[in-house]
Amino acid sequence: MTDGVSEDHRDTVGHHTCGMMSKTPRAHSSLMPLQFVAPKLNGVIETALYVRNLSRAKQFYEGVLGLKVLRGDQRFCAFDVAGGHVLLLFQRGTSAQPISLPGGVIPPHDGHGTEHVGFQITADSLRAWEDWLARRKVAIESRVTWERGGTSLYFRDPDGHLLELLTPGVWETY
């Protein structure tokens, strides 16, 4: 250890991942170099929830959240969220097998239990959302004011999934 790095650690680079230390092999100059920074992601486009009754869930997301259907069938329903995101509802169990399409195959996926999705809203619309949900008899389960100044409203869809409306100031990035 001449430079403060032990021989045991000379071939690894440590970095933090969600509070855990991870070791990644360091590229050797004579070998093909490894990329240590992932290519940039531009956002989350699709979020999926798995529901017991697709028709009931579709009515909730259209009627309560005002989402517009992009497409769907007996297996799924895709909703436009703010012109740049897609919320997918899948009838539980119907996507557990690969789906062949003219352009390729969608690998199997499915989910069970209650899941969570957060929707971005403006601070100015928070009160209107509270009133809107009350008029539709959707109970607000919790309201949290965050240290950055944002507010979250939590409520459930008909399948028990936890939905959240978030104003700016909840996360460092929002």
Side-chain angles (χ1 to χ4, degrees):
M1 178 162 82
T2 58
D3 58 0
V5 178
S6 72
E7 291 299 319
D8 294 336
H9 295 95
R10 199 166 297 285
D11 288 337
T12 61
V13 176
H15 60 278
H16 290 282
T17 330
C18 292
M20 299 175 64
M21 191 66 157
S22 173
K23 296 201 182 205
T24 305
R26 180 177 285 164
H28 294 22
S29 59
S30 63
L31 302 175
M32 182 171 73
L34 296 177
Q35 185 174 347
F36 289 106
V37 178
K40 181 183 175 196
L41 293 174
N42 295 323
V44 175
I45 299 298
E46 296 177 345
T47 299
L49 294 174
Y50 300 88
V51 299
R52 290 183 301 269
N53 184 320
L54 185 58
S55 176
R56 177 186 66 185
K58 182 180 173 204
Q59 289 175 357
F60 177 86
Y61 284 90
E62 284 181 300
V64 174
L65 295 184
L67 299 181
K68 300 211 180 339
V69 174
L70 294 172
R71 70 175 56 139
D73 58 25
Q74 73 284 351
R75 184 179 64 84
F76 84 104
C77 184
F79 291 99
D80 172 56
V81 181
H85 310 279
V86 177
L87 175 64
L88 297 165
L89 300 181
F90 288 94
Q91 179 72 43
R92 280 196 180 132
T94 62
S95 57
Q97 299 297 321
I99 305 293
S100 293
L101 301 172
V105 174
I106 300 173
H109 55 92
D110 200 23
H112 299 282
T114 55
E115 298 159 324
H116 170 75
V117 175
F119 297 95
Q120 174 182 342
I121 63 170
T122 64
D124 293 344
S125 70
L126 182 63
R127 186 71 194 145
W129 272 107
E130 289 174 310
D131 294 343
W132 178 260
L133 293 171
R135 285 194 309 269
R136 277 148 187 80
K137 300 187 180 355
V138 176
I140 295 174
E141 190 170 319
S142 181
R143 178 187 176 122
V144 176
T145 302
W146 299 96
E147 63 186 31
R148 296 180 180 280
T151 301
S152 293
L153 293 180
Y154 295 94
F155 57 98
R156 303 277 175 176
D157 78 357
D159 283 273
H161 297 305
L162 182 62
L163 304 181
E164 179 182 7
L165 301 177
L166 302 90
T167 67
V170 172
W171 294 101
E172 292 174 18
T173 56
Y174 177 70

Short mmCIF file of all heavy atoms in Angstrom, two decimals, residues 42-47 70 79-87 120:
data_model
loop_
_atom_site.label_atom_id
_atom_site.label_comp_id
_atom_site.label_asym_id
_atom_site.label_seq_id
_atom_site.Cartn_x
_atom_site.Cartn_y
_atom_site.Cartn_z
N ASN A 42 -33.89 9.32 -19.85
CA ASN A 42 -34.61 10.57 -20.08
C ASN A 42 -35.91 10.68 -19.29
O ASN A 42 -36.58 11.70 -19.35
CB ASN A 42 -34.90 10.75 -21.57
CG ASN A 42 -33.62 10.90 -22.35
OD1 ASN A 42 -32.67 11.52 -21.89
ND2 ASN A 42 -33.58 10.31 -23.52
N GLY A 43 -36.29 9.65 -18.57
CA GLY A 43 -37.50 9.70 -17.76
C GLY A 43 -38.14 8.34 -17.66
O GLY A 43 -37.67 7.37 -18.24
N VAL A 44 -39.19 8.28 -16.88
CA VAL A 44 -40.01 7.06 -16.78
C VAL A 44 -41.21 7.28 -17.68
O VAL A 44 -41.95 8.24 -17.53
CB VAL A 44 -40.46 6.82 -15.32
CG1 VAL A 44 -41.41 5.63 -15.24
CG2 VAL A 44 -39.26 6.61 -14.42
N ILE A 45 -41.41 6.39 -18.63
CA ILE A 45 -42.50 6.52 -19.60
C ILE A 45 -43.71 5.69 -19.18
O ILE A 45 -44.84 6.15 -19.25
CB ILE A 45 -42.04 6.11 -21.01
CG1 ILE A 45 -40.91 7.01 -21.49
CG2 ILE A 45 -43.20 6.11 -22.00
CD1 ILE A 45 -41.28 8.47 -21.61
N GLU A 46 -43.47 4.45 -18.77
CA GLU A 46 -44.57 3.56 -18.43
C GLU A 46 -44.49 3.14 -16.96
O GLU A 46 -43.42 2.85 -16.45
CB GLU A 46 -44.52 2.28 -19.27
CG GLU A 46 -44.70 2.49 -20.74
CD GLU A 46 -44.58 1.21 -21.53
OE1 GLU A 46 -44.08 0.19 -21.00
OE2 GLU A 46 -44.99 1.23 -22.69
N THR A 47 -45.64 3.12 -16.34
CA THR A 47 -45.81 2.57 -15.00
C THR A 47 -46.98 1.61 -15.08
O THR A 47 -48.00 1.94 -15.68
CB THR A 47 -46.10 3.68 -13.98
OG1 THR A 47 -45.00 4.59 -13.96
CG2 THR A 47 -46.31 3.12 -12.59
N LEU A 70 -55.48 5.58 -24.18
CA LEU A 70 -54.71 5.55 -25.42
C LEU A 70 -55.09 4.31 -26.24
O LEU A 70 -55.28 4.39 -27.45
CB LEU A 70 -53.21 5.52 -25.13
CG LEU A 70 -52.63 6.76 -24.46
CD1 LEU A 70 -51.18 6.51 -24.05
CD2 LEU A 70 -52.72 7.95 -25.40
N PHE A 79 -53.28 4.48 -20.39
CA PHE A 79 -53.77 5.84 -20.21
C PHE A 79 -52.66 6.84 -20.46
O PHE A 79 -51.51 6.62 -20.06
CB PHE A 79 -54.25 6.06 -18.77
CG PHE A 79 -55.48 5.31 -18.40
CD1 PHE A 79 -55.39 4.12 -17.70
CD2 PHE A 79 -56.73 5.79 -18.74
CE1 PHE A 79 -56.53 3.43 -17.33
CE2 PHE A 79 -57.88 5.11 -18.38
CZ PHE A 79 -57.78 3.92 -17.67
N ASP A 80 -53.01 7.96 -21.07
CA ASP A 80 -52.11 9.09 -21.20
C ASP A 80 -52.08 9.83 -19.87
O ASP A 80 -53.13 10.13 -19.30
CB ASP A 80 -52.59 10.04 -22.30
CG ASP A 80 -51.79 11.33 -22.33
OD1 ASP A 80 -50.55 11.26 -22.44
OD2 ASP A 80 -52.40 12.41 -22.21
N VAL A 81 -50.89 10.14 -19.38
CA VAL A 81 -50.73 10.94 -18.17
C VAL A 81 -49.90 12.17 -18.55
O VAL A 81 -48.71 12.06 -18.82
CB VAL A 81 -50.03 10.16 -17.04
CG1 VAL A 81 -49.89 11.03 -15.78
CG2 VAL A 81 -50.77 8.87 -16.71
N ALA A 82 -50.58 13.30 -18.65
CA ALA A 82 -49.92 14.60 -18.89
C ALA A 82 -49.16 14.68 -20.21
O ALA A 82 -48.20 15.43 -20.32
CB ALA A 82 -49.01 14.96 -17.72
N GLY A 83 -49.54 13.88 -21.18
CA GLY A 83 -48.94 14.01 -22.50
C GLY A 83 -47.53 13.46 -22.67
O GLY A 83 -46.93 13.60 -23.72
N GLY A 84 -46.98 12.82 -21.65
CA GLY A 84 -45.63 12.30 -21.79
C GLY A 84 -45.38 11.02 -21.02
O GLY A 84 -44.28 10.48 -21.04
N HIS A 85 -46.38 10.53 -20.33
CA HIS A 85 -46.24 9.32 -19.53
C HIS A 85 -47.44 8.42 -19.81
O HIS A 85 -48.50 8.89 -20.20
CB HIS A 85 -46.19 9.67 -18.04
CG HIS A 85 -45.21 10.74 -17.73
ND1 HIS A 85 -43.86 10.51 -17.60
CD2 HIS A 85 -45.38 12.07 -17.57
CE1 HIS A 85 -43.26 11.65 -17.35
NE2 HIS A 85 -44.15 12.62 -17.34
N VAL A 86 -47.25 7.13 -19.55
CA VAL A 86 -48.32 6.16 -19.78
C VAL A 86 -48.50 5.33 -18.52
O VAL A 86 -47.54 4.79 -17.97
CB VAL A 86 -47.97 5.22 -20.97
CG1 VAL A 86 -49.05 4.16 -21.15
CG2 VAL A 86 -47.78 6.03 -22.25
N LEU A 87 -49.75 5.28 -18.05
CA LEU A 87 -50.11 4.39 -16.96
C LEU A 87 -50.78 3.17 -17.58
O LEU A 87 -51.77 3.31 -18.30
CB LEU A 87 -51.06 5.07 -15.97
CG LEU A 87 -51.58 4.16 -14.85
CD1 LEU A 87 -50.44 3.70 -13.94
CD2 LEU A 87 -52.66 4.87 -14.04
N GLN A 120 -47.78 13.84 -10.32
CA GLN A 120 -47.34 15.22 -10.14
C GLN A 120 -48.52 16.18 -10.31
O GLN A 120 -49.27 16.07 -11.27
CB GLN A 120 -46.28 15.51 -11.21
CG GLN A 120 -45.80 16.91 -11.30
CD GLN A 120 -44.78 17.06 -12.43
OE1 GLN A 120 -44.20 16.08 -12.90
NE2 GLN A 120 -44.56 18.26 -12.86
#
